[in-house]
């Protein structure tokens, strides 16, 4: 990556916002004033879950709890979970899910939630949603010894302007599929891509190069480094980044297409937290 000819620092986190994929990727794509409450909706769109205009939609994460009920990381979702009356729950793989509260979008302004990746070490009381009795009831109902469900990323449906070029997207991640659907980009299905460190980078590189023959803009999204950092696994992150250097970059360099590699945000493998305001962008084939 560092041998690519052009390097530039780019601001990906707008003033006053948190480093988070949805805001950062839309900022990289040139969108300004990204709506505050969009994340859960983007995930729902990406996962193909139908929602209505007045629904409240939240991202959820299953978290591990220590003996004194502090968050110690993410954990696999249970095979079945029912949130009870007034809400629908959708499992999105590993620790991830979505909650839809039909007709509850009006409670958005008074609602506070706490993204678990920012609250490692916090007690369950500190991350309990504030402003919706139904949500705190769902969290309590989900509690089992050692784990519980935490909702965050509250949102309601909103519209974004279409992206200014014909564009293709290659991703296995719901939030990026949601961005594609909100902005009118075409999603290219690629088998064996799973949004993790064991994703199929060869298939992704091939699909991106093929799409670039046909589209003026291609967004190739690679998620594994973020997930490894959330697991506090420095070795896994380093070996995945080396794999990107070995497998992906040479294929892109050998193609006739100009490309730029940039992170949406950083994720610290020692804390599991998102950080960074500026990112380095590396451009090849200029
Ligand atoms: Zn992340």
């Amino acid at each position: 990556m560092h041998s690519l000819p052009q390097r530039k620092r780019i601001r990906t986190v707008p003033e006053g916002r948190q480093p988070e994929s949805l805001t950062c990727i839309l900022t990289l794509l040139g969108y300004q004033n990204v709506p505050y409450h969009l994340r859960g909706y983007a995930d729902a769109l990406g996962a193909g879950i139908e929602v209505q205009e007045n629904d409240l939609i939240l991202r959820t994460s299953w978290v591990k709890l220590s003996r004194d009920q502090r968050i110690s990381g993410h954990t696999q979702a249970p095979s079945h979970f029912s949130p009870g009356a007034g809400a629908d729950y959708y499992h999105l793989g590993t620790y991830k899910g979505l909650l839809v509260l039909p007709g509850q979008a009006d409670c958005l302004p008074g609602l506070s939630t706490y993204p678990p990746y920012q609250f490692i070490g916090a007690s369950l009381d500190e991350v309990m949603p504030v402003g919706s009795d139904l949500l705190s009831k769902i969290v309590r109902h989900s509690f089992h010894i050692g784990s519980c469900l935490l909702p965050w990323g509250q949102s309601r449906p909103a519209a974004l302007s279409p992206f200014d070029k014909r564009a293709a997207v290659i991703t296995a991640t719901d939030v990026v599929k949601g961005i594609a659907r909100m902005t009118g980009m075409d999603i290219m299905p690629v088998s064996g891509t799973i949004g993790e460190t064991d994703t199929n980078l060869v298939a992704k590189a091939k699909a991106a190069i093929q799409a670039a023959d046909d589209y003026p803009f291609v967004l190739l999204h690679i998620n594994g480094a973020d997930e490894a950092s959330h697991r506090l696994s420095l070795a896994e992150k380093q070996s995945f980044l080396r794999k990107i250097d070995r497998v992906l970059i040479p294929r892109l360099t050998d193609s006739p297409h100009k490309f730029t590699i940039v992170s949406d945000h950083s994720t610290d493998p020692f804390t599991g937290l998102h950080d960074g305001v500026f990112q380095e962008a590396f451009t090849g084939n200029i």
Side-chain angles (χ1 to χ4, degrees):
M1 227 175 282
H2 285 80
S3 65
L4 292 170
Q6 197 186 79
R7 227 192 246 213
K8 203 168 134 191
R9 265 162 71 80
I10 297 181
R11 184 175 187 129
T12 65
V13 182
E15 196 78 50
R17 303 293 290 264
Q18 293 294 321
E20 181 270 326
S21 290
L22 177 66
T23 313
C24 296
I25 294 173
L26 284 170
T27 302
L28 277 168
L29 292 172
Y31 285 83
Q32 290 173 352
N33 306 317
V34 175
Y36 270 86
H37 298 300
L38 202 60
R39 175 64 201 247
Y41 174 56
D43 281 312
L45 268 184
I49 295 164
E50 212 175 300
V51 292
Q52 306 299 321
E53 203 188 325
N54 290 321
D55 290 355
L56 177 67
I57 309 142
L58 298 106
R59 172 89 188 265
T60 66
S61 302
W62 287 91
V63 296
K64 252 189 308 203
L65 297 171
S66 60
R67 277 193 189 166
D68 58 351
Q69 296 193 13
R70 290 184 179 276
I71 297 169
S72 60
H74 290 127
T75 190
Q76 176 68 37
S79 54
H80 177 76
F81 172 69
S82 168
D88 297 309
Y89 169 76
Y90 301 88
H91 178 50
L92 298 182
T94 62
Y95 61 88
K96 299 170 186 173
L98 271 184
L99 270 177
V100 179
L101 277 56
Q104 295 282 310
D106 288 346
C107 83
L108 253 182
L111 184 61
S112 298
T113 61
Y114 307 91
Y117 61 82
Q118 285 177 21
F119 288 88
I120 304 288
S123 71
L124 196 47
D125 287 343
E126 288 172 90
V127 294
M128 197 57 94
V130 176
S132 164
D133 291 344
L134 180 54
L135 275 183
S136 34
K137 198 171 119 194
I138 291 169
V139 174
R140 280 196 299 273
H141 173 67
S142 75
F143 176 80
H144 285 84
I145 297 195
S147 73
C148 84
L149 176 79
L150 283 182
W152 57 280
Q154 59 266 34
S155 64
R156 66 184 305 164
L160 289 181
S161 57
F163 188 60
D164 59 7
K165 291 184 189 72
R166 253 185 84 241
V169 179
I170 292 149
T171 182
T173 308
D174 287 325
V175 65
V176 183
K177 287 183 189 168
I179 288 173
R181 294 196 171 120
M182 279 190 281
T183 59
M185 298 179 173
D186 295 333
I187 300 169
M188 307 277 120
V190 181
S191 66
T193 61
I194 49 172
E196 262 295 351
T197 48
D198 51 352
T199 192
N200 187 342
L201 285 179
V202 175
K204 279 191 139 173
K206 277 187 187 161
I209 292 163
Q210 209 176 1
D213 291 338
D214 193 26
Y215 286 82
F217 184 89
V218 177
L219 170 61
L220 168 59
H221 177 242
I222 295 171
N223 195 50
D226 179 62
E227 298 295 345
S229 300
H230 286 311
R231 285 192 286 273
L232 308 182
S233 179
L234 175 65
E236 187 188 2
K237 179 175 186 173
Q238 285 173 331
S239 96
F240 185 61
L241 291 175
R242 277 191 212 106
K243 196 172 160 191
I244 289 175
D245 267 338
R246 207 172 55 241
V247 175
L248 180 68
I249 311 257
R251 283 173 169 82
L252 296 181
T253 308
D254 288 346
S255 83
H257 305 292
K258 179 180 169 182
F259 64 93
T260 295
I261 298 192
V262 61
S263 282
D264 49 352
H265 56 72
S266 314
T267 313
D268 186 329
F270 297 101
T271 61
L273 297 176
H274 290 176
D275 63 14
V277 172
F278 290 90
Q279 296 296 329
E280 259 187 291
F282 302 92
T283 299
N285 293 353
I286 38 178

